[in-house]
Amino acid sequence: MIRIESDRLHLRTFVETDAKNLAKLMQRNKYFWATYEPLHDADFYTEEAQYRKILEGLHLQRSNREFSFGIFTKNEEQLIGHISLYAIKRLPYNSAFIGYSIDEQFTRQGIATEAVREVVQFGFNVLNLHRIEAYVSPKNIASVKVLEKAHFKKEGLLRELLYINGSWEDHYIYALLQDDFFQKGK
């Protein structure tokens, strides 16, 4: 298990016993998150489905292809979101994507920005990645702000990238390079 501590949060890679709380988090935020990502079939939101997802994540983690963290409050130990470095590629790319979701009750508190900064630091310092990328809907102003506060740069618009709840949606691509990260002083 990998743990990352920050001022207000602790992040740790998911373990099998997190399935129940992860399912509850998914159920609570099903429609809130569906604004910018696809709704899933009903069984996706079950403990069994989240258990299988955690097992898959652990397999990918063992092969250094994905690291999925739960975002927990530091004192209460409550699961309030998730964040992942995924689609990790080694040379000649040496890159990964970052994705995150925060419980609706905990938005607008800087939690996503804090979690992104910590996971980016892990990606550059521990995994020695060269580049971390993120896709974000132009409509998702809050997430755009998170990436920009974490010093990601908008590199372009990917037209009709994802099919979300009945329509093709454009997404920006943002990226942060390891050199830029270290020059910004973390």
Side-chain angles (χ1 to χ4, degrees):
M1 179 184 328
I2 299 168
R3 289 182 174 273
I4 300 171
E5 299 290 329
S6 70
D7 291 339
R8 298 178 295 157
L9 309 171
H10 82 258
L11 313 174
R12 67 167 172 75
T13 49
F14 284 113
V15 295
E16 294 93 330
T17 54
D18 291 320
K20 183 176 186 174
N21 287 331
L22 185 55
K24 287 179 182 178
L25 177 72
M26 296 290 185
Q27 291 162 9
R28 265 195 323 272
N29 291 280
K30 178 179 180 177
Y31 296 107
F32 174 65
W33 291 343
T35 307
Y36 306 113
E37 62 185 57
L39 273 173
H40 299 279
D41 293 332
D43 80 280
F44 174 83
Y45 302 94
T46 64
E47 183 177 342
E48 296 78 24
Q50 294 309 309
Y51 180 81
R52 288 190 304 271
K53 186 177 169 192
I54 289 170
L55 288 179
E56 179 184 355
L58 290 170
H59 172 73
L60 292 169
Q61 181 179 320
R62 282 190 291 278
S63 60
N64 288 317
R65 295 187 350 225
E66 178 176 304
F67 292 84
S68 294
F69 296 88
I71 302 170
F72 297 86
T73 56
K74 198 154 195 170
N75 299 330
E76 297 174 33
E77 299 285 323
Q78 180 182 357
L79 179 64
I80 61 170
H82 58 86
I83 185 167
S84 298
L85 282 175
Y86 64 97
I88 297 172
K89 296 179 199 140
R90 290 300 173 188
L91 290 174
Y93 297 100
N94 216 25
S95 66
F97 281 91
I98 192 167
Y100 47 88
S101 296
I102 302 296
D103 188 316
E104 184 175 15
Q105 297 174 28
F106 291 87
T107 59
R108 299 180 183 263
Q109 298 176 34
I111 290 169
T113 302
E114 189 172 328
V116 166
R117 286 180 176 154
E118 294 297 327
V119 170
V120 162
Q121 187 168 334
F122 170 79
F124 289 140
N125 289 332
V126 177
L127 301 179
N128 197 31
L129 295 172
H130 170 70
R131 175 184 174 88
I132 300 176
E133 303 173 329
Y135 292 147
V136 62
S137 168
K139 299 173 190 172
N140 191 345
I141 304 303
S143 194
V144 166
K145 288 179 181 177
V146 165
L147 293 170
E148 290 176 351
K149 285 179 188 172
H151 306 295
F152 279 71
K153 302 291 181 223
K154 182 172 30 171
E155 295 187 334
L157 179 70
L158 303 170
R159 298 179 311 129
E160 297 185 7
L161 177 71
L162 294 174
Y163 191 74
I164 299 177
N165 306 321
S167 65
W168 287 100
E169 297 288 336
D170 296 346
H171 277 67
Y172 292 132
I173 182 166
Y174 275 77
L176 180 61
L177 303 179
Q178 185 186 64
D179 288 347
D180 294 340
F181 173 76
F182 287 117
Q183 288 173 5
K184 294 280 184 197
K186 302 172 194 165

Tab-separated table of all heavy atoms in Angstrom, residues 2 61 64-67 69 85-86 88-90 94 96 119-130 132 178:
chain	number	residue	atom	x	y	z
A	2	ILE	N	0.527	2.194	-0.820
A	2	ILE	CA	1.276	3.448	-0.905
A	2	ILE	C	0.449	4.532	-0.231
A	2	ILE	O	-0.741	4.683	-0.514
A	2	ILE	CB	1.562	3.809	-2.374
A	2	ILE	CG1	2.407	2.716	-3.022
A	2	ILE	CG2	2.260	5.166	-2.462
A	2	ILE	CD1	2.492	2.829	-4.526
A	61	GLN	N	-1.203	-1.915	-10.754
A	61	GLN	CA	-0.194	-1.295	-9.882
A	61	GLN	C	1.051	-2.176	-9.791
A	61	GLN	O	2.177	-1.672	-9.858
A	61	GLN	CB	-0.778	-1.057	-8.497
A	61	GLN	CG	0.199	-0.400	-7.532
A	61	GLN	CD	-0.415	-0.165	-6.169
A	61	GLN	OE1	-1.564	0.214	-6.061
A	61	GLN	NE2	0.362	-0.415	-5.131
A	64	ASN	N	3.203	-1.544	-12.515
A	64	ASN	CA	3.544	-0.113	-12.661
A	64	ASN	C	2.845	0.550	-13.842
A	64	ASN	O	3.411	1.419	-14.498
A	64	ASN	CB	5.065	0.080	-12.769
A	64	ASN	CG	5.749	-0.158	-11.451
A	64	ASN	OD1	5.271	0.280	-10.416
A	64	ASN	ND2	6.852	-0.869	-11.489
A	65	ARG	N	1.587	0.168	-14.090
A	65	ARG	CA	0.823	0.765	-15.183
A	65	ARG	C	-0.300	1.675	-14.693
A	65	ARG	O	-0.881	2.415	-15.486
A	65	ARG	CB	0.263	-0.335	-16.090
A	65	ARG	CG	1.380	-1.089	-16.795
A	65	ARG	CD	0.936	-2.067	-17.837
A	65	ARG	NE	-0.464	-2.340	-17.890
A	65	ARG	CZ	-0.982	-3.558	-18.002
A	65	ARG	NH1	-0.235	-4.615	-18.054
A	65	ARG	NH2	-2.293	-3.723	-18.075
A	66	GLU	N	-0.615	1.610	-13.409
A	66	GLU	CA	-1.671	2.463	-12.847
A	66	GLU	C	-1.510	2.514	-11.336
A	66	GLU	O	-1.170	1.503	-10.715
A	66	GLU	CB	-3.051	1.902	-13.202
A	66	GLU	CG	-4.204	2.694	-12.631
A	66	GLU	CD	-5.552	2.154	-13.084
A	66	GLU	OE1	-5.776	2.048	-14.306
A	66	GLU	OE2	-6.366	1.836	-12.201
A	67	PHE	N	-1.797	3.687	-10.770
A	67	PHE	CA	-1.814	3.861	-9.327
A	67	PHE	C	-3.092	4.605	-8.982
A	67	PHE	O	-3.246	5.772	-9.328
A	67	PHE	CB	-0.575	4.639	-8.851
A	67	PHE	CG	0.699	3.860	-9.025
A	67	PHE	CD1	1.363	3.846	-10.235
A	67	PHE	CD2	1.203	3.103	-7.974
A	67	PHE	CE1	2.522	3.108	-10.415
A	67	PHE	CE2	2.363	2.356	-8.130
A	67	PHE	CZ	3.019	2.357	-9.357
A	69	PHE	N	-5.602	5.936	-6.089
A	69	PHE	CA	-5.602	6.331	-4.687
A	69	PHE	C	-7.000	6.754	-4.249
A	69	PHE	O	-7.707	7.443	-4.981
A	69	PHE	CB	-4.691	7.549	-4.477
A	69	PHE	CG	-3.245	7.315	-4.767
A	69	PHE	CD1	-2.742	7.493	-6.045
A	69	PHE	CD2	-2.375	6.935	-3.749
A	69	PHE	CE1	-1.395	7.295	-6.315
A	69	PHE	CE2	-1.028	6.741	-4.007
A	69	PHE	CZ	-0.531	6.917	-5.295
A	85	LEU	N	-3.166	7.885	-11.409
A	85	LEU	CA	-2.231	7.996	-12.520
A	85	LEU	C	-2.440	6.715	-13.307
A	85	LEU	O	-2.303	5.617	-12.755
A	85	LEU	CB	-0.784	8.066	-12.021
A	85	LEU	CG	-0.308	9.399	-11.482
A	85	LEU	CD1	1.105	9.261	-10.915
A	85	LEU	CD2	-0.328	10.477	-12.554
A	86	TYR	N	-2.810	6.832	-14.568
A	86	TYR	CA	-3.162	5.642	-15.345
A	86	TYR	C	-2.587	5.735	-16.757
A	86	TYR	O	-2.047	6.760	-17.145
A	86	TYR	CB	-4.680	5.450	-15.373
A	86	TYR	CG	-5.436	6.554	-16.075
A	86	TYR	CD1	-5.824	6.418	-17.404
A	86	TYR	CD2	-5.766	7.734	-15.426
A	86	TYR	CE1	-6.515	7.436	-18.058
A	86	TYR	CE2	-6.455	8.743	-16.063
A	86	TYR	CZ	-6.824	8.592	-17.380
A	86	TYR	OH	-7.499	9.593	-18.027
A	88	ILE	N	0.045	4.441	-17.817
A	88	ILE	CA	1.458	4.774	-17.679
A	88	ILE	C	2.237	4.075	-18.792
A	88	ILE	O	2.112	2.869	-18.985
A	88	ILE	CB	1.992	4.363	-16.292
A	88	ILE	CG1	1.265	5.162	-15.196
A	88	ILE	CG2	3.499	4.553	-16.209
A	88	ILE	CD1	1.566	4.709	-13.786
A	89	LYS	N	3.004	4.874	-19.505
A	89	LYS	CA	3.852	4.359	-20.583
A	89	LYS	C	5.289	4.694	-20.246
A	89	LYS	O	5.583	5.782	-19.773
A	89	LYS	CB	3.491	5.015	-21.918
A	89	LYS	CG	2.109	4.725	-22.396
A	89	LYS	CD	1.864	5.447	-23.717
A	89	LYS	CE	0.390	5.564	-23.966
A	89	LYS	NZ	0.011	6.828	-24.531
A	90	ARG	N	6.165	3.782	-20.530
A	90	ARG	CA	7.591	4.024	-20.332
A	90	ARG	C	8.198	4.482	-21.650
A	90	ARG	O	7.495	4.700	-22.626
A	90	ARG	CB	8.268	2.764	-19.776
A	90	ARG	CG	7.842	2.481	-18.334
A	90	ARG	CD	8.231	3.645	-17.453
A	90	ARG	NE	7.725	3.532	-16.102
A	90	ARG	CZ	7.825	4.497	-15.221
A	90	ARG	NH1	8.389	5.648	-15.523
A	90	ARG	NH2	7.358	4.345	-14.013
A	94	ASN	N	7.340	7.787	-21.469
A	94	ASN	CA	7.532	8.026	-20.029
A	94	ASN	C	6.476	9.003	-19.504
A	94	ASN	O	6.791	10.022	-18.896
A	94	ASN	CB	8.951	8.520	-19.733
A	94	ASN	CG	9.457	7.968	-18.423
A	94	ASN	OD1	9.006	6.917	-17.978
A	94	ASN	ND2	10.371	8.661	-17.789
A	96	ALA	N	1.999	9.557	-18.284
A	96	ALA	CA	0.786	8.997	-17.698
A	96	ALA	C	-0.318	10.033	-17.804
A	96	ALA	O	-0.069	11.213	-18.058
A	96	ALA	CB	1.013	8.634	-16.231
A	119	VAL	N	-0.172	13.816	-6.043
A	119	VAL	CA	-0.018	12.684	-6.954
A	119	VAL	C	0.955	13.032	-8.087
A	119	VAL	O	1.729	12.181	-8.525
A	119	VAL	CB	-1.393	12.202	-7.472
A	119	VAL	CG1	-1.249	11.190	-8.594
A	119	VAL	CG2	-2.180	11.598	-6.310
A	120	VAL	N	0.955	14.277	-8.516
A	120	VAL	CA	1.942	14.719	-9.518
A	120	VAL	C	3.351	14.580	-8.947
A	120	VAL	O	4.263	14.084	-9.611
A	120	VAL	CB	1.645	16.172	-9.961
A	120	VAL	CG1	2.852	16.815	-10.623
A	120	VAL	CG2	0.446	16.195	-10.896
A	121	GLN	N	3.521	15.001	-7.713
A	121	GLN	CA	4.833	14.876	-7.057
A	121	GLN	C	5.255	13.405	-7.004
A	121	GLN	O	6.405	13.064	-7.293
A	121	GLN	CB	4.780	15.488	-5.662
A	121	GLN	CG	6.125	15.545	-4.988
A	121	GLN	CD	6.091	16.416	-3.736
A	121	GLN	OE1	5.280	17.313	-3.604
A	121	GLN	NE2	6.997	16.134	-2.832
A	122	PHE	N	4.334	12.521	-6.659
A	122	PHE	CA	4.603	11.080	-6.651
A	122	PHE	C	5.009	10.618	-8.060
A	122	PHE	O	5.974	9.860	-8.226
A	122	PHE	CB	3.357	10.326	-6.163
A	122	PHE	CG	3.419	8.838	-6.323
A	122	PHE	CD1	4.128	8.060	-5.425
A	122	PHE	CD2	2.761	8.209	-7.375
A	122	PHE	CE1	4.177	6.677	-5.559
A	122	PHE	CE2	2.813	6.833	-7.521
A	122	PHE	CZ	3.523	6.071	-6.619
A	123	GLY	N	4.280	11.064	-9.059
A	123	GLY	CA	4.573	10.661	-10.438
A	123	GLY	C	5.951	11.081	-10.898
A	123	GLY	O	6.669	10.306	-11.547
A	124	PHE	N	6.345	12.291	-10.568
A	124	PHE	CA	7.655	12.781	-11.004
A	124	PHE	C	8.791	12.281	-10.110
A	124	PHE	O	9.846	11.888	-10.601
A	124	PHE	CB	7.660	14.307	-11.071
A	124	PHE	CG	6.830	14.861	-12.201
A	124	PHE	CD1	6.061	15.995	-12.014
A	124	PHE	CD2	6.810	14.262	-13.455
A	124	PHE	CE1	5.299	16.525	-13.052
A	124	PHE	CE2	6.048	14.777	-14.498
A	124	PHE	CZ	5.291	15.911	-14.291
A	125	ASN	N	8.597	12.286	-8.798
A	125	ASN	CA	9.677	11.914	-7.875
A	125	ASN	C	9.868	10.411	-7.717
A	125	ASN	O	10.994	9.938	-7.615
A	125	ASN	CB	9.446	12.528	-6.495
A	125	ASN	CG	9.666	14.024	-6.486
A	125	ASN	OD1	10.438	14.553	-7.273
A	125	ASN	ND2	8.969	14.705	-5.603
A	126	VAL	N	8.770	9.670	-7.665
A	126	VAL	CA	8.856	8.235	-7.403
A	126	VAL	C	8.859	7.425	-8.706
A	126	VAL	O	9.683	6.537	-8.893
A	126	VAL	CB	7.715	7.772	-6.467
A	126	VAL	CG1	7.755	6.266	-6.251
A	126	VAL	CG2	7.794	8.507	-5.136
A	127	LEU	N	7.930	7.752	-9.598
A	127	LEU	CA	7.831	6.999	-10.851
A	127	LEU	C	8.754	7.544	-11.935
A	127	LEU	O	8.913	6.920	-12.973
A	127	LEU	CB	6.384	7.005	-11.358
A	127	LEU	CG	5.344	6.415	-10.406
A	127	LEU	CD1	3.960	6.501	-11.024
A	127	LEU	CD2	5.699	4.976	-10.037
A	128	ASN	N	9.330	8.714	-11.684
A	128	ASN	CA	10.234	9.373	-12.629
A	128	ASN	C	9.596	9.569	-14.002
A	128	ASN	O	10.240	9.357	-15.038
A	128	ASN	CB	11.564	8.620	-12.742
A	128	ASN	CG	12.635	9.486	-13.365
A	128	ASN	OD1	12.638	10.699	-13.203
A	128	ASN	ND2	13.549	8.859	-14.096
A	129	LEU	N	8.341	9.980	-14.009
A	129	LEU	CA	7.665	10.278	-15.265
A	129	LEU	C	8.222	11.567	-15.857
A	129	LEU	O	8.700	12.437	-15.132
A	129	LEU	CB	6.153	10.427	-15.036
A	129	LEU	CG	5.429	9.161	-14.585
A	129	LEU	CD1	3.989	9.496	-14.208
A	129	LEU	CD2	5.483	8.086	-15.661
A	130	HIS	N	8.126	11.685	-17.154
A	130	HIS	CA	8.551	12.901	-17.851
A	130	HIS	C	7.368	13.850	-18.058
A	130	HIS	O	7.534	15.064	-18.051
A	130	HIS	CB	9.158	12.537	-19.212
A	130	HIS	CG	9.415	13.707	-20.095
A	130	HIS	ND1	10.407	14.636	-19.833
A	130	HIS	CD2	8.788	14.128	-21.222
A	130	HIS	CE1	10.379	15.571	-20.776
A	130	HIS	NE2	9.410	15.289	-21.624
A	132	ILE	N	2.875	14.315	-17.465
A	132	ILE	CA	1.567	13.889	-16.967
A	132	ILE	C	0.516	14.701	-17.701
A	132	ILE	O	0.600	15.930	-17.770
A	132	ILE	CB	1.453	14.068	-15.436
A	132	ILE	CG1	2.520	13.222	-14.728
A	132	ILE	CG2	0.049	13.676	-14.961
A	132	ILE	CD1	2.564	13.397	-13.223
A	178	GLN	N	7.959	17.218	-16.263
A	178	GLN	CA	8.772	17.107	-15.056
A	178	GLN	C	9.656	18.341	-14.868
A	178	GLN	O	9.741	18.879	-13.766
A	178	GLN	CB	9.646	15.844	-15.119
A	178	GLN	CG	10.418	15.594	-13.849
A	178	GLN	CD	11.372	14.437	-13.977
A	178	GLN	OE1	12.314	14.490	-14.763
A	178	GLN	NE2	11.114	13.380	-13.219
